[in-house]
Amino acid sequence: MNKLLMMKAFTSVVTEGSFHKAADRMNLSPQLISKYVSQLESDLKTRLLTRTTRKINLTEAGHIYLQRCQQVLLDIEEMENSLTDLQNQVTGTLNISAPMSFGIHHLSAPIAAFQSRYPSVKVQLFLTDQKVDLLEANVDIALRIGHLKNSSLIGRKIAPIRMVTCASPQYLAEYGEPKTAEDLTQHRYLRYSYSEGRELTESWGEHSPFSEQNTQLVSNNGDILINAAIRHQGIAIQPTFLTYNAVARGELVVLEQFPLQMMGLYAVYPNRQFLASKIRHFIDFISGYYGELPYWDKPCDRHPSYTATVER
C-alpha cells in the first residue's frame, strides 16, 4: 500500500477531526481512509489514534509521528514546487552541439538574441562536424545538417540547406566550364571528407563524376574547401550558407547545370517525455529564426546565376 497516501490520510484525519471530513477532503470514501490509517498503524506496530463515537485523539506516538509526517509532506510539496518552477523557468546551462562552419558563421547572432530574451540561460556551444552521442556527451540539443533518419532522437527542421557546385571564374576560364557529369570527371574536386560522397550519390546515383583520381583536396572543414575554390584549386560542392559571400563578391560561380538534392538543418534532442524549459524555448526560438528562405539564400541581383540557383 502507498505509504505516502497513508501518511496523507492520517494527517487529514487529525487536521479535519474526523474520518468523514478527511474522506471529503481527499475525495475518497471514509472506509478507505480508515483502512489507510489502520494499515499505517499496523506497519508501525503502534497505535496513533484513539477513536470514540464522538472524538478522535492522538496517542503519544501519534503526536510524534504527526510532526514527522507534516514535515515530510511539506518537504515533498516544496520539492515538487521547485521542480515545477524549474520546468517553467527558462534558466540553467544549455549544452548545444553544432556543425563547425555553420556555428562559426551563423550561430553567434541567434544565440546572442536568445540570451538577450532569456538572460538566465548560460550556453555552452560545442562545434564539431562529427555526430556526437547526446546522452554520453551531455548535450541537450544537437544541430545537424542532412536528412533526418529514424532514430531514438526527436528532430525539428530549422532551415533548408541548399547545396551548390561551384568554382572560381579563373579556374573555369583555365580549365573550361563543365556542361555534363562526364565533363566533371576531367576536373579537380575539392572534397568534404565527412560527406563521403553522399551528396553526389543522392544527385547522380552510383555513377559519381568524382573519384579519388580527380580529388585535389580533402578536408573535414567546408571553409577550407571554399577558400581553396576561391584560390582556383578546383570545384567544390558546399552549402550556400558558406558560398553566398564568395558568390556575391564574384569570387565563385555556381554551376547551375548540376543541381543537388536539398537537405535541412535540424535540431535533434533525446526522446524525453518532459523537456526542460530551456530546451523547449531554444528549439521554439531557433525554429523561427532563419525562416523558409534564410538570409544566405536571399536573391543577389548582381549575380544572376546564384539568384537562379537559390530560387529554384
Side-chain angles (χ1 to χ4, degrees), residues 9 32 41-42 56 80 93 97-98 111 116 136 162 243:
L32 190 54
E41 290 178 324
S42 176
I56 294 175
E80 290 177 345
T93 299
S97 170
I111 287 177
S116 294
E136 184 177 315
R162 293 173 172 83
T243 64

Side-chain angles (χ1 to χ4, degrees), residues 200-213:
L200 300 181
T201 301
E202 289 163 353
S203 298
W204 286 305
E206 296 301 324
H207 304 291
S208 170
F210 294 115
S211 64
E212 287 297 325
Q213 283 69 38

Side-chain angles (χ1 to χ4, degrees), residues 126-174:
F126 175 56
L127 297 180
T128 176
D129 288 337
Q130 291 182 308
K131 288 186 178 180
V132 298
D133 185 309
L134 272 63
L135 296 178
E136 184 177 315
N138 193 30
V139 170
D140 296 310
I141 302 169
L143 299 182
R144 291 179 178 172
I145 294 172
H147 304 289
L148 195 61
K149 298 179 180 179
N150 294 331
S151 70
S152 60
L153 301 176
I154 303 298
R156 185 187 296 185
K157 189 174 182 179
I158 304 302
I161 299 296
R162 293 173 172 83
M163 304 294 294
V164 292
T165 306
C166 58
S168 71
Q170 183 172 326
Y171 173 86
L172 296 175
E174 182 175 353

Side-chain angles (χ1 to χ4, degrees), residues 101-102 104-107 109 162-164 166 223 226 230 238-254 290 294-303 306-307 310:
S101 293
F102 185 87
I104 291 172
H105 292 282
H106 302 290
L107 273 184
R162 293 173 172 83
M163 304 294 294
V164 292
C166 58
D223 285 292
I226 291 297
I230 290 173
Q238 286 295 305
T240 55
F241 68 74
L242 286 183
T243 64
Y244 76 113
N245 275 331
V247 171
R249 293 191 297 262
E251 297 171 328
L252 291 178
V253 174
V254 173
Y290 300 107
Y295 56 83
W296 57 78
D297 277 345
K298 298 292 185 182
C300 176
D301 294 337
R302 289 178 295 169
H303 298 279
Y306 183 65
T307 303
V310 300

Side-chain angles (χ1 to χ4, degrees), residues 262-275:
M262 181 79 73
M263 295 195 293
L265 172 69
Y266 294 89
V268 298
Y269 50 94
N271 186 3
R272 298 171 181 156
Q273 185 176 5
F274 301 106
L275 277 180

